[in-house]
């Protein structure tokens, strides 16, 4: 449905999108994640024909975003990151306006507007101006606007930012529901949401695509590693010095522990190595009572950090 | 065409939803009525003489029109609404034309509502109504040209104040080159004066339509240029 190849976009000296290629099938929900400034919004803006690319191509349903922009725009529903709507318009008037530009009229238009108000839970807000709505409701109007013409492709830039937990779950269910027949690309910083909702995950970092696969495929990438959570009763610096010396430990970072006095760490080590035994031996030899030691399931967050942490913005998060 | 109308309706709606349209119309009526009577009494001109009054109107419009057009694009850019607008399946010329027509509607209302002035003249004496009519036509044409210029200025910036100032300067320049002998054919004032004399020459009409068309075209290019590689 969406084909992106060698997409590049520069802003002066910064390369916002660097040679990105991917494609999506119809009916696929794609989660687009990456640190701040990674290039998610820029990529989406190119696909939605808001910005021109400096290099590479993108097509939607076979139409080139640059050459056949109108055809592409007809097929896309887009919720921009800013969710900037006309604040001086009433909610209904705004949806009618978008529907009219989308080519709807008469009975059809009224029907779709009512349906969107229902789906996006806007009943209580219909008599208000868009400018009077809270951030979350504005977000819902933005979503209604993107869905109103029943597009085959939905591009949602951080659709859940600013929403309360109930609304986040609601939007997640909406995305899952619509994803049955639509192609959806959405960006988010809530990684747990991606793991639940997406058929596929794209991870972008510093403009480059660093991962593209199903959540399962991404977990495979970390199969040569194992993750443990360990907590000792002891001096932080001494423990960290010791952990540094152990060669089979690839990485570790301090984490919060239930027991405030304990020094807790998440430890990444080579797969197959007897890390548990080694750590308990270390605790014994140094007389650091072991408070807890347990394997940790690899989640998207670990993969995300692993793939993006070589980049400068995450310095300091890991050891 | 349909899309143009949709944009026109939306823009006209936001003019009349906010104070902008009412403020413009009322302020214009107040200032023009004041000018009308002040000129009439102060200079002890014949009450039935409106030529001098009309010759001042393009100067008055220099402030009223850019104040009305400055928001057309600058506000969209500032607020970010331009992002959804530009990703809707609508062509830039349809948007530009719709916005132009919405401002044009306010202009026409402004001018229509100033009709009590010539009515007052008619009750006092016997003015040349043909000349008054063509003068009004000239006013509409000058106003429309200013709208096109102001709209174009608004596409260049996200700052309404800059759009306002650039609109005034550009309109002023287009107005006064009509006073420069070898450039006068390109000036708004030259063709305006020719219409207010009471004859509508097709050359004047063609001139105004070209100026409006040129600046609208420039606006479309300016808007579209964001999408060029
Ligand atoms: N209009 C602009 N002018 C200059 N640089 C820009 C502009 N827009 C984006 N950038 C730069 O392009 C890069 C990518 O930005 P982008 O907005 O695509 O990131 P993002 O992945 O959406 O980040 P976030 O998670 O914060 O939304 C950043 O380095 C940003 O500073
Ligand atoms: Mg972004």
């Amino acid at each position: 449905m969406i084909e992106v190849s060698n997409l590049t976009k520069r802003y002066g000296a910064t390369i916002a999108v660097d040679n990105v290629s991917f494609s999506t099938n119809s009916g696929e929900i794609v989660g687009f994640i990456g640190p701040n400034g990674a290039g998610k919004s820029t990529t989406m803006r190119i696909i939605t024909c808001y910005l021109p690319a400096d290099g590479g191509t993108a097509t939607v349903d076979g139409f080139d975003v640059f050459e056949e922009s109108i055809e592409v725009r007809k097929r896309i529903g887009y919720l921009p990151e800013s969710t900037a709507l006309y604040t001086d318009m009433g909610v209904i008037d705004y949806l009618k306006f978008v529907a009219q530009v989308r080519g709807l009229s008469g009975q059809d238009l009224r029907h779709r507007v009512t349906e969107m108000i229902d789906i996006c839970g806007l009943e209580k807000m219909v008599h208000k101006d868009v400018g009077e709505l809270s951030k979350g409701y504005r977000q819902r109007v933005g979503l209604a606007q993107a869905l109103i013409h029943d597009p085959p492709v939905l591009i949602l830039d951080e659709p859940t930012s600013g929403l309360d937990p109930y609304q986040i779950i609601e939007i997640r269910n909406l995305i899952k529901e619509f994803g049955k027949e639509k192609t959806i690309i959405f960006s988010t910083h809530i990684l747990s949401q991606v793991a639940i909702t997406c058929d596929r995950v794209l991870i972008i970092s510093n403009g480059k695509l660093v991962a593209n696969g199903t959540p399962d495929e991404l977990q495979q990438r970390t199969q040569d590693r194992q993750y443990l959570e360990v907590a000792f009763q002891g001096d932080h610096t001494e423990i960290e010095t010791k952990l540094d010396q152990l060669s089979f430990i690839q990485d570790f970072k301090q984490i919060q522990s239930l027991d405030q006095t304990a020094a807790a760490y998440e430890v990444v080590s080579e797969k197959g190595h007897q890390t548990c035994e080694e750590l308990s031996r270390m605790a014994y030899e140094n007389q650091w009572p072991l408070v807890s030691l347990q394997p940790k399931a690899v989640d998207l967050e670990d993969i995300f950090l692993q793939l993006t942490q070589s980049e400068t913005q995450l310095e300091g998060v890991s050891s | 065409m349909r899309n143009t109308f949709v944009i026109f309706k939306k823009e006209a709606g936001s003019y009349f939803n906010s104070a902008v349209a009412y403020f413009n119309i009322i302020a214009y009526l107040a200032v023009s009525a004041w000018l009308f009577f002040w000129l009439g009494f102060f200079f002890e001109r014949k009450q039935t003489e409106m030529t001098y009054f009309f010759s001042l109107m393009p100067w008055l419009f220099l402030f009223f029109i850019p104040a009305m057009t400055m928001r057309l694009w600058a506000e969209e850019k500032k607020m970010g609404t331009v992002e959804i607008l530009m990703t809707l399946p609508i062509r830039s010329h349809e948007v530009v034309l719709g916005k132009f027509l919405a401002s044009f509607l306010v202009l026409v209302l402004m001018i229509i509502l100033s009709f009590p002035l010539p009515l007052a003249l008619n009750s006092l004496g016997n003015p040349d109504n043909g000349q008054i009519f063509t003068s009004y036509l000239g006013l509409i044409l000058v106003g429309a040209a200013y709208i096109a210029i102001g709209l174009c200025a608004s596409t260049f910036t996200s700052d309404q104040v800059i759009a306002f100032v650039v609109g005034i300067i550009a309109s002023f320049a287009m107005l006064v080159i009509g006073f420069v002998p070898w450039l006068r054919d390109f000036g708004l004032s030259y063709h305006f004066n020719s219409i207010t004399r009471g004859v509508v020459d097709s050359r004047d009409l063609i001139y105004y339509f070209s100026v409006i068309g040129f600046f609208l075209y420039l606006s479309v290019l300016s808007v579209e240029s964001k999408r060029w590689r």
Side-chain angles (χ1 to χ4, degrees), chain A residues 45 73 78 86 88 100, chain B residues 2 14 76 79 83 88:
Chain A
R45 285 172 159 177
R73 285 185 263 163
Y78 176 42
Y86 296 113
D88 60 342
Q100 283 171 343
Chain B
R2 199 188 114 94
S14 60
E76 299 250 14
M79 304 281 291
E83 191 163 352
L88 288 173

Side-chain angles (χ1 to χ4, degrees), chain A residues 147-159:
Chain A
L147 283 165
I148 201 151
H149 56 302
D150 197 18
V153 178
L154 265 182
I155 306 228
L156 311 172
D157 201 351
E158 298 193 25

Side-chain angles (χ1 to χ4, degrees), chain A residues 45 48-57 64 66-67 69-70 73-74 76 78 80-82 84-89 94 97-105 145, chain B residues 2-3 5-11 13-15 17-18 71 75-77 79-92 94 99 224-229:
Chain A
R45 285 172 159 177
T48 52
C49 311
Y50 180 61
L51 286 178
D54 292 321
T57 57
D64 187 276
F66 186 69
E67 305 290 343
S69 148
I70 290 278
R73 285 185 263 163
K74 279 184 189 162
I76 290 182
Y78 176 42
E81 187 170 32
S82 61
L85 314 171
Y86 296 113
T87 47
D88 60 342
M89 292 179 94
Y94 181 74
F97 164 71
V98 175
Q100 283 171 343
V101 179
R102 290 291 188 181
L104 295 166
S105 61
Q145 151 301 122
Chain B
R2 199 188 114 94
N3 282 341
F5 183 65
V6 174
I7 297 287
F8 162 75
K9 256 194 335 193
K10 190 231 141 230
E11 290 294 331
S14 60
Y15 269 133
N17 265 340
S18 68
R71 53 168 286 277
E75 193 182 34
E76 299 250 14
K77 288 194 196 179
M79 304 281 291
T81 48
V82 69
E83 191 163 352
I84 289 183
L85 183 66
M86 296 298 281
T87 53
L88 288 173
I90 185 168
R91 289 171 205 281
S92 302
E94 297 172 323
K99 283 175 181 274
E224 271 294 293
S225 66
K226 305 284 178 302
R227 263 204 274 263
W228 293 344
R229 296 214 204 212

Side-chain angles (χ1 to χ4, degrees), chain A residues 9-12 14-17 32-45 51 81 157-158 187-189 204 206-207:
Chain A
K9 175 80 191 174
R10 282 184 204 85
Y11 287 110
T14 41
I15 302 189
V17 177
F32 202 19
I33 57 180
N36 289 135
K40 301 179 294 296
S41 298
T42 307
T43 308
M44 292 177 148
R45 285 172 159 177
L51 286 178
E81 187 170 32
D157 201 351
E158 298 193 25
S187 69
T188 182
H189 290 295
I204 189 170
N206 272 353

Side-chain angles (χ1 to χ4, degrees), chain A residues 7-302:
Chain A
L7 213 58
T8 301
K9 175 80 191 174
R10 282 184 204 85
Y11 287 110
T14 41
I15 302 189
V17 177
D18 191 356
N19 214 20
V20 165
S21 303
F22 63 87
S23 67
T24 70
N25 306 319
S26 44
E28 202 171 33
I29 303 177
V30 180
F32 202 19
I33 57 180
N36 289 135
K40 301 179 294 296
S41 298
T42 307
T43 308
M44 292 177 148
R45 285 172 159 177
I46 295 170
I47 299 173
T48 52
C49 311
Y50 180 61
L51 286 178
D54 292 321
T57 57
T59 63
V60 174
D61 204 8
F63 295 100
D64 187 276
V65 295
F66 186 69
E67 305 290 343
E68 297 142 307
S69 148
I70 290 278
E71 290 305 316
V72 171
R73 285 185 263 163
K74 279 184 189 162
R75 285 163 176 75
I76 290 182
Y78 176 42
L79 175 69
E81 187 170 32
S82 61
T83 328
L85 314 171
Y86 296 113
T87 47
D88 60 342
M89 292 179 94
V91 170
I92 301 265
D93 285 342
Y94 181 74
L95 292 179
K96 277 187 181 162
F97 164 71
V98 175
Q100 283 171 343
V101 179
R102 290 291 188 181
L104 295 166
S105 61
Q107 189 67 47
D108 231 15
L109 182 145
R110 280 191 295 277
H111 176 70
R112 286 298 295 171
V113 169
T114 322
E115 203 172 326
M116 283 307 111
I117 286 169
D118 180 38
I119 290 178
C120 299
L122 289 165
E123 294 90 351
K124 283 188 215 137
M125 301 296 150
V126 289
H127 299 301
K128 292 202 177 184
D129 279 354
V130 172
E132 298 164 356
L133 299 183
S134 69
K135 160 95 176 138
Y137 275 100
R138 241 180 253 205
Q139 197 81 1
R140 292 179 185 215
V141 176
L143 203 65
Q145 151 301 122
L147 283 165
I148 201 151
H149 56 302
D150 197 18
V153 178
L154 265 182
I155 306 228
L156 311 172
D157 201 351
E158 298 193 25
T160 54
S161 84
L163 299 188
D164 68 39
Y166 294 106
Q167 296 185 14
I168 290 179
I169 295 170
E170 251 178 71
I171 300 278
R172 194 171 67 205
N173 293 339
L174 268 184
I175 290 177
K176 264 204 129 29
E177 185 60 33
F178 284 115
K180 285 176 189 157
E181 72 250 24
K182 296 183 194 306
T183 305
I184 303 181
I185 299 187
F186 76 97
S187 69
T188 182
H189 290 295
I190 311 173
L191 299 180
S192 55
Q193 197 181 348
V194 174
I196 303 170
T197 329
C198 295
D199 302 316
R200 204 133 58 85
V201 183
L202 301 175
I203 303 180
I204 189 170
S205 177
N206 272 353
K208 292 191 184 65
L209 201 65
V210 292
N212 175 2
T214 65
D216 282 345
E217 278 167 11
L218 293 190
Q219 308 229 329
Q220 306 263 321
R221 284 184 163 227
T222 53
Q223 292 227 315
D224 56 336
R225 294 166 160 222
Q226 62 178 335
Y227 288 74
L228 289 170
E229 277 175 12
V230 60
F232 307 98
Q233 207 89 56
D235 183 71
H236 286 259
T237 32
E238 279 178 34
I239 294 171
E240 280 164 31
T241 320
K242 202 78 191 169
L243 284 175
D244 264 334
Q245 288 167 0
L246 296 175
S247 60
F248 57 90
I249 289 181
Q250 293 176 336
D251 197 4
F252 67 91
K253 68 176 183 214
Q254 196 170 355
I255 56 173
Q256 282 290 335
S257 131
L258 290 175
D259 182 350
Q260 293 296 323
T261 58
Y265 297 91
E266 182 182 308
V267 175
V268 185
S269 63
E270 291 160 22
K271 190 96 183 181
H273 204 281
Q274 307 206 307
T275 316
C276 279
E277 291 82 340
E278 298 275 2
L279 285 176
S280 51
R281 182 173 311 130
M282 178 176 118
Y284 174 75
E285 283 169 359
N286 295 282
Q287 309 217 326
W288 296 322
L290 202 54
V291 178
S292 76
L293 176 59
Q294 56 190 2
K296 180 178 176 294
V298 184
D299 61 20
L300 202 56
E301 190 174 286
D302 302 310

